[in-house]
Amino acid sequence: MKSNILVTGSAGFIGSHLCERLLQLGYNVIGLDNFRDNYDPLIKRENVHSALEHPSYKLVEGNILDADLVDRLMKQHNIDILVHLAALAGVRNSILTPLDYVDTDIKGTVIMLEACRKYGVSKFIFASSSSVYGNGTVPFRESNNLICQASPYAAAKYSGELLCKTWHQLYSIPTVCLRFFTVYGPRQRPDMAIHIFTKAISRGLEVGIYGDGSSSRDYTYIDDVVDGIVASIDCKCAFELLNIGNSNAVDVLTLVRIIESKLQRQAHLRFLPQQPGDVPKTLANISKAANLLGYSPKVKLEDGIERFISWYRLKN
Ligand code: NAD
Ligand code: UGA
């Protein structure tokens, strides 16, 4: 008999893929999401469509900031594992609405940690971010000294990690903080580059490039990220910080070229000012996750983009 898992942010990009995988693996999954309108909630409705057909899935529409609701769910469903993905996730947008990020990403995490303390769980997984490394030197290692985060979002995710560590020290909650690196694939959020560029190039619209196009990211395919989350549910960890990346940095202009070649259409580039909050480069050293979880990303960027485009064409 598999455990009962609460997944917050279950209607989002990563959350919806994770729930489907957990259901395949035989878990009882309780999804919590408030379908907020940071992007079109209809997209989130579609994301949960397939999980909802599964008898072991229960979707609860509600807010992670509602501590009474979270208490009820923990009790009622005898939650054993909590995967906390719900957050406001945009880096650049966090400069416009920082207080919203503090509420959702910091306060929301404390509410989850308190639920873990009160009801006891065998594992708490926190969705952290490559952005905690700020302008640090690549490749990013978990042992790096973190100097300064470049955006309110990044600072909120770093605060989340610190809170996880404190709750672990106080209450021995087994905890894994996963630092995801720019995740992509079917259902990617519409505010992220691969989705924006595919839409613009398909429609013959201008592609806005921040800076000179040299900023690079360690783009990581969704199935590999889900592999990393599932492995950290299974691992016998007390407290760990782990990079979940692809360990292959690609600059924005190269990314556009790959999308152009897959779509067989030329992009019309428009160079825009560098955005505050963006970092020039991310690149994960993934040896710690490889050793502890057996994590080994499998999907190459070209193949992952092809899969994203197939999904995009079906939906548009
Ligand atoms: P997403 O926006 O698609 O999913 C987040 C979900 O959380 C959304 O469905 C949203 O409705 C829900 N949510 C937000 N506030 C809520 C609240 N108060 N109560 C209940 N639900 C709420 O984002 P995503 O890209 O799937 O990211 C998932 C997690 O992974 C986030 O914590 C994000 O910071 C982290 N992360 C994502 C990436 C990436 O590249 N996508 C990289 C690093 C970290
Ligand atoms: C992504 C996610 O959006 C965050 O949720 C996540 O926390 C973060 O990864 C992470 O790794 O932790 P980001 O790397 O900014 O953030 O991802 P994209 O929005 O896809 O941007 C990728 C690159 O494209 C950046 O260099 C950005 O400057 C550039 N970009 C983006 C453009 O040039 N033009 C655009 O219109 C959008």
Side-chain angles (χ1 to χ4, degrees):
M1 181 72 180
K2 285 274 192 184
S3 321
N4 300 334
I5 302 197
L6 175 61
V7 177
T8 71
S10 54
F13 163 43
I14 299 175
S16 60
H17 282 280
L18 175 66
C19 289
E20 285 170 21
R21 176 77 72 81
L22 293 173
L23 290 164
Q24 279 166 14
L25 292 170
Y27 287 97
N28 297 311
V29 181
I30 291 85
L32 175 61
D33 203 297
N34 67 349
F35 292 82
R36 63 172 295 165
D37 61 359
N38 56 319
Y39 61 89
D40 186 352
L42 284 177
I43 297 176
K44 300 177 185 181
R45 298 269 162 217
E46 202 161 324
N47 288 347
V48 295
H49 204 78
S50 140
L52 277 172
E53 287 173 359
H54 201 290
S56 303
Y57 184 64
K58 179 169 173 54
L59 173 65
V60 178
E61 281 193 52
N63 199 319
I64 54 163
L65 298 175
D66 181 349
D68 292 338
L69 168 68
V70 174
D71 270 8
R72 278 201 302 282
L73 293 179
M74 296 295 290
K75 232 185 304 187
Q76 196 180 332
H77 298 285
N78 197 15
I79 297 298
D80 181 40
I81 295 160
L82 204 166
V83 184
H84 178 41
L85 302 175
L88 281 178
V91 175
R92 294 167 289 280
N93 194 49
S94 72
I95 291 185
L96 306 175
T97 59
L99 269 181
D100 210 359
Y101 280 69
V102 169
D103 275 344
T104 309
D105 296 9
I106 302 181
K107 210 168 148 189
T109 300
V110 173
I111 288 172
M112 293 306 130
L113 287 165
E114 276 294 88
C116 291
R117 173 186 70 77
K118 282 192 229 164
Y119 298 96
V121 291
S122 65
K123 186 67 64 60
F124 179 64
I125 312 251
F126 172 65
S128 188
S129 148
S130 71
S131 64
V132 301
Y133 290 104
N135 293 309
T137 337
V138 294
F140 297 151
R141 290 170 195 274
E142 294 87 345
S143 55
N144 283 10
N145 244 341
L146 301 184
I147 314 269
C148 181
Q149 286 68 43
S151 66
Y153 166 74
K157 284 289 171 186
Y158 185 45
S159 307
E161 289 187 355
L162 295 176
L163 290 161
C164 288
K165 178 93 184 156
T166 301
W167 258 251
H168 170 73
Q169 277 178 359
L170 284 170
Y171 311 113
S172 308
I173 301 166
T175 300
V176 184
C177 298
L178 297 174
R179 294 173 173 168
F180 302 140
F181 283 67
T182 314
V183 189
Y184 74 102
R187 303 182 193 156
Q188 189 193 43
R189 299 196 326 261
D191 59 294
M192 293 182 67
I194 291 176
H195 200 142
I196 294 175
F197 295 167
T198 301
K199 185 172 177 183
I201 299 170
S202 306
R203 296 181 180 189
L205 303 172
E206 278 183 345
V207 171
I209 305 287
Y210 300 141
D212 62 3
S214 65
S215 81
S216 64
R217 292 289 178 275
D218 191 4
Y219 296 96
T220 311
Y221 192 69
I222 182 66
D223 292 0
D224 290 324
V225 169
V226 170
D227 284 349
I229 301 174
V230 169
S232 44
I233 288 173
D234 292 338
C235 85
K236 302 249 174 298
C237 307
F239 179 88
E240 296 295 345
L241 297 167
L242 295 172
N243 288 341
I244 298 293
N246 189 45
S247 81
N248 174 38
V250 170
D251 65 63
V252 174
L253 286 180
T254 306
L255 180 71
V256 171
R257 298 300 167 227
I258 296 171
I259 300 173
E260 275 181 322
S261 82
K262 300 289 176 193
L263 288 171
Q264 298 200 302
R265 291 198 68 160
Q266 208 188 330
H268 308 292
L269 303 186
R270 181 186 168 96
F271 288 89
L272 301 168
Q274 190 67 53
Q275 299 296 294
D278 265 351
V279 294
K281 193 164 183 149
T282 68
L283 176 61
N285 175 304
I286 52 173
S287 48
K288 192 176 172 197
N291 289 336
L292 278 178
L293 307 179
Y295 173 71
S296 163
K298 296 181 179 54
V299 182
K300 291 197 175 66
L301 186 60
E302 281 78 1
D303 299 336
I305 286 184
E306 204 162 298
R307 294 189 204 175
F308 172 78
I309 288 175
S310 302
W311 169 83
Y312 177 86
R313 283 186 165 138
L314 266 179
K315 298 291 164 193
N316 291 274

